[in-house]
Amino acid sequence: MASRQTKQLLDLLDGFEMTKSQHDWLERRFENMTVKESLLFRGAMQIEQPRMTCDVMLIASQLDHYDLFYGAGDDVQLGKFIMEQIQRPSDQAREFLDPEKVGAAYRQKGGNTFCDGHFIKVTSLINPFLDSDPSMNPDKGDFAIRVKLASRTNMDGVWVGFPDTGEYMDAAHPDELLLALDELEAESLTECIAMEVDCCLPQLENIPSQYESAAQLIRHAIDFGYIWSEQGQGEPRWLDKFMAVMELEDCHRLDYALDLAQNLRCYHFMPRDMDLADYGKELAMRDGIYPKDELLAACFDAEGYACYKMKRMGLSAAEHGFVSWNGTELNFEYSQPDTGQTMQM
């Protein structure tokens, strides 16, 4: 049975001609939308005013092309938001700046709209060539993890996703979460329960059962979202190493996954698709034994050195590479490891 949100969003498409596959895709997309995505979609529909169902589907697939300014529902609030979150003029200058004028000037740039007490603006143009068949696009938002929360006043529940895309919000209080609490008519997460979790790592199983409260789960979901978006701050092959370490340690818990992501330096790793000679050269240079002389370097058995080091490091084969614990003590911030647990050697 379709949720209230899905019905409301489908009502926006009254009069649109669509095939069954288009209707089914839109219904799944609307059902999977977080509260923030739903707001962005409604605002984008007002801004873009599409006339064809395929254009609606493209908008629903590219909501990251829009920004939401939380609570900026009129020119006065928009002006305050601009001066507090974006431009931040000096206190002296603010005495001579009228928030309503600032908000009106910002709004008049175009490509924006007020929607349900918030401000939606276009940040970049929709890509009309995202897919020749929009129904082939993913019907979920691009989140590392989503949590479905419910409250006494909304037992159907709403989705909240991380990492949040809000550039201007306080990182500790993403607008994804604020909007979800608004929809649930809850002042805090203590009034909520976690119904479902959808995570990009399918090996993390039964996540809601791992937490005693929705608040603790959401705190970990927020952190997981940021870790996933940073991907080791651009470290090469970070994801492959993380996945290999997760497999090595047989990790199925979100809190344990967070700890492993923070402790990747404690593991040796070689990608599966890396050339053995290149890996040997990299290791030799790291160990300071690779010859500086060009002639000796050309004669150096990099592949043999790689095999020697792999044997010494005790690398185990995993789906995403070869990995082993390097003996460095792990720090546990999120999970409480079993006292009898020992790292894989």
Side-chain angles (χ1 to χ4, degrees), residues 61-230:
S61 297
Q62 301 183 62
L63 296 177
D64 57 339
H65 291 245
Y66 303 87
D67 262 352
L68 182 147
F69 293 175
Y70 181 86
D74 56 34
D75 283 343
V76 174
Q77 295 303 316
L78 177 59
K80 290 179 179 179
F81 189 100
I82 298 301
M83 290 191 285
E84 291 171 4
Q85 303 289 346
I86 301 177
Q87 302 296 346
R88 295 186 178 90
S90 67
D91 290 341
Q92 289 179 318
R94 288 191 65 157
E95 293 182 25
F96 300 92
L97 287 167
D98 181 349
E100 187 172 8
K101 287 184 178 179
V102 172
Y106 194 89
R107 172 176 51 79
Q108 288 164 7
K109 291 180 179 180
N112 57 63
T113 187
F114 291 118
C115 183
D116 291 356
H118 308 284
F119 184 74
I120 314 291
K121 67 183 289 285
V122 177
T123 56
S124 57
L125 296 176
I126 288 288
N127 178 7
F129 308 108
L130 180 65
D131 198 303
S132 55
D133 181 3
S135 64
M136 298 302 293
N137 293 327
D139 54 22
K140 297 180 181 178
D142 187 20
F143 296 106
I145 188 167
R146 299 184 309 144
V147 181
K148 194 170 193 178
L149 297 172
S151 67
R152 289 184 180 275
T153 57
N154 189 333
M155 294 302 293
D156 290 337
V158 299
W159 286 105
V160 54
F162 305 100
D164 183 27
T165 55
E167 181 180 354
Y168 305 112
M169 299 306 297
D170 179 357
H173 302 283
D175 50 5
E176 274 279 353
L177 182 53
L178 292 174
L179 289 163
L181 291 174
D182 288 347
E183 186 71 14
L184 294 169
E185 298 181 22
E187 293 186 4
S188 71
L189 286 167
T190 58
E191 301 173 40
C192 305
I193 60 170
M195 300 174 65
E196 299 177 50
V197 175
D198 175 41
C199 183
C200 62
L201 299 179
Q203 63 267 52
L204 301 184
E205 304 164 341
N206 302 317
I207 293 176
S209 67
Q210 300 168 14
Y211 291 89
E212 295 180 355
S213 69
Q216 185 186 27
L217 169 53
I218 289 294
R219 281 197 298 271
H220 284 191
I222 290 172
D223 289 350
F224 182 80
Y226 284 123
I227 287 173
W228 191 262
S229 65
E230 288 176 357

